[in-house]
Amino acid sequence: MSHYLLLTPGPLTTSETVKQSMLKDWCTWDDDYNLGVVQKIRQQLVKMATAAEGYTSVLIQGSGTASVEAVLGCAIGSNDKILIINNGAYGKRMAQICEVLQLNHLVLNFAEIELPDIQLIETTLEQDKSITHVAMVHCETTTGMLNPLKQVADVCRVKGIKFILDAMSSFGGVEFDIAELNIEFMVSSANKCIQGVPGFGLSWLNNKR
């Protein structure tokens, strides 16, 4: 049966080599699976994200949104406050997740074709000293807007704010180093730029803190 190619920002067509690898049944408690497959994939993902030490990756079975929810739910404690930078559907979704999880949050809203205002972000952080985290979508899938990653990361570094990056549609397609940008948490999807199997979310975190 002939299938059309998926060439959207995601999901993408899964290659024949990946499909062939999926034909083998694995016993999830065996070392050949845990060490030979899962740990190997996690290590390779870290190497793709940074050459620095101190980071780890976690595979999450579920959609990209499920992975974003998992990171926000685990990273934001009762004494924390997160600033959501929203200029598209997925920034808005992060804000909705915070509402449902009852996380202390503030949203900076911008138009869908408007780049986030770095000065406004900086001013907001100066005015609200209770903010501990900033979250932003790197590439808004809905519009293709590539948000100012380095500039936002620099503001977070200077102000001692933990940066959470949704790199769903950019990881593996746009080159950057999460350690150089001082990214605390990053989230992506297996079936976007790296064209892995659908149904898995990817997360990275700074394991040194």
Side-chain angles (χ1 to χ4, degrees):
M1 182 177 177
S2 177
H3 292 279
Y4 55 82
L5 290 176
L6 297 173
L7 298 174
T8 64
L12 296 173
T13 297
T14 306
S15 70
E16 288 299 324
T17 54
V18 173
K19 290 175 181 176
Q20 287 295 322
S21 297
M22 292 169 62
L23 293 176
K24 180 175 180 178
D25 292 323
W26 297 94
C27 205
T28 54
W29 52 79
D30 286 351
D31 283 347
D32 60 347
Y33 174 75
N34 285 309
L35 299 180
V37 178
V38 176
Q39 295 294 357
K40 184 178 180 181
I41 290 172
R42 291 178 61 204
Q43 291 164 3
Q44 289 174 333
L45 286 170
V46 172
K47 288 180 180 178
M48 289 177 65
T50 182
E53 299 291 330
Y55 279 85
T56 188
S57 68
V58 179
L59 307 179
I60 301 174
Q61 188 174 351
S63 66
T65 296
S67 301
V68 173
E69 180 181 344
V71 168
L72 291 175
C74 292
I76 310 303
S78 57
N79 295 321
D80 296 324
K81 183 175 183 179
I82 184 168
L83 175 66
I84 305 291
I85 299 170
N86 168 36
N87 66 337
Y90 292 95
K92 181 180 179 181
R93 186 170 293 179
M94 284 199 289
Q96 291 172 332
I97 290 170
C98 288
E99 289 177 9
V100 171
L101 296 181
Q102 297 183 340
L103 302 176
N104 191 11
H105 69 286
L106 176 67
V107 184
L108 277 182
N109 292 306
F110 301 93
E112 280 194 345
I113 56 172
E114 180 185 6
L115 283 172
D117 186 329
I118 301 299
Q119 184 59 56
L120 179 57
I121 295 170
E122 191 169 1
T123 300
T124 302
L125 294 175
E126 288 173 356
Q127 292 177 344
D128 191 342
K129 299 297 184 182
S130 66
I131 294 173
T132 56
H133 296 70
V134 167
M136 182 182 75
V137 177
H138 185 198
C139 178
E140 258 294 350
T141 308
T142 45
T143 61
M145 174 74 76
L146 197 63
N147 285 325
L149 173 57
K150 186 178 185 306
Q151 294 93 319
V152 173
D154 286 345
V155 170
C156 290
R157 179 189 291 109
V158 168
K159 297 192 175 298
I161 302 293
K162 294 179 180 179
F163 188 22
I164 299 174
L165 183 69
D166 177 336
M168 208 64 63
S169 298
S170 62
F171 175 72
V174 179
E175 188 174 352
F176 60 90
D177 186 302
I178 59 175
E180 290 180 1
L181 293 169
N182 200 38
I183 294 170
E184 193 76 11
F185 299 90
M186 183 171 74
V187 190
S188 190
S189 170
N191 194 232
K192 291 285 175 71
C193 293
I194 63 174
Q195 294 182 267
V197 58
F200 275 92
L202 316 172
S203 63
W204 293 255
L205 61 137
N206 187 338
N207 210 25
K208 295 189 294 184
R209 299 182 186 179

